[in-house]
Amino acid sequence: MIAWIYRLSHWTALIGGLVLVALVLLVVASVTGRALIDVGLGPVPGDFELVEIGVGIAVFFFMPWCYLRGGHATVDLLYMHTPRWAQRAVDIFSDVLMLLVWLVMTWKLWEGMLEKKEYLETTFILQMPVWWAYAFCLAGAVIGCLAYAARTLTQLGLASEPKGWTLDAHAGH
């Protein structure tokens, strides 16, 4: 099960990367269209709406993999000089705390999505239902909850990481 969560997090990060590549292409097309208005082209309608939604989706899809790889930004001023048992306690405490944060964030995304759907809120230019963006972000948040739970279980010794798994060399907590 843990290995499946790690693979799922990896695949969602790749999907997040594809979303960002698509956004880059969209922005290039829109800027090029703006520059060539004189020859009959124009900006992509709703480009900023799509970028706003796409970046949110990409972030939620990247975060689980980033966490599992140990890629979060940290402040190691005191951490590096504490005994190993204290470092482990900080790791476990922060993992449990972040799992709680992700659970609350996922719950609030769920509530927000239901509210946007109930009130039929749409984007201004494209008239795209806003709840669609919430749904995609919610999928990433659920995967994030699974990733945080899996990592917390491995930190507590209740599960083991997949074979051959290593954290990034420069990662810390």
Side-chain angles (χ1 to χ4, degrees):
M1 181 69 169
I2 300 292
W4 178 81
I5 293 169
Y6 279 55
R7 280 194 306 276
L8 179 62
S9 297
H10 181 250
W11 280 104
T12 56
L14 292 174
I15 292 168
L18 291 175
V19 168
L20 282 184
V21 167
L23 292 177
V24 167
L25 295 174
L26 171 75
V27 169
V28 167
S30 191
V31 169
T32 303
R34 287 180 208 280
L36 299 175
I37 281 183
D38 295 337
V39 295
L41 294 178
V44 175
D47 57 349
F48 63 91
E49 294 174 347
L50 293 171
V51 168
E52 180 181 17
I53 291 167
V55 168
I57 292 167
V59 166
F60 274 100
F61 278 32
F62 284 145
M63 291 300 284
W65 184 247
C66 177
Y67 170 69
L68 291 175
R69 296 300 298 173
H72 286 306
T74 60
V75 179
D76 293 335
L77 185 62
L78 299 175
Y79 179 84
M80 294 171 51
H81 303 291
T82 58
R84 182 66 196 131
W85 65 267
Q87 290 177 358
R88 183 157 167 73
V90 167
D91 289 344
I92 290 171
F93 176 75
S94 62
D95 287 345
V96 170
L97 185 63
M98 284 305 296
L99 174 58
L100 292 174
V101 167
W102 271 83
L103 288 169
V104 169
M105 187 170 46
T106 302
W107 166 44
K108 296 313 263 179
L109 267 171
W110 171 256
E111 285 184 347
M113 181 190 73
L114 293 179
E115 182 179 306
K116 300 297 181 191
K117 189 174 181 183
E118 179 183 351
Y119 291 109
L120 304 173
E121 188 172 329
T122 61
T123 61
F124 183 70
I125 294 174
L126 297 177
Q127 296 298 302
M128 182 174 63
V130 173
W131 75 266
W132 291 356
Y134 275 73
F136 279 108
C137 291
L138 181 64
V142 168
I143 294 166
C145 287
L146 292 173
Y148 275 90
R151 181 84 175 122
T152 301
L153 290 173
T154 60
Q155 287 280 12
L156 294 171
L158 301 173
S160 58
E161 292 174 335
K163 283 188 176 185
W165 183 260
T166 58
L167 291 176
D168 286 342
H170 300 294
H173 223 283

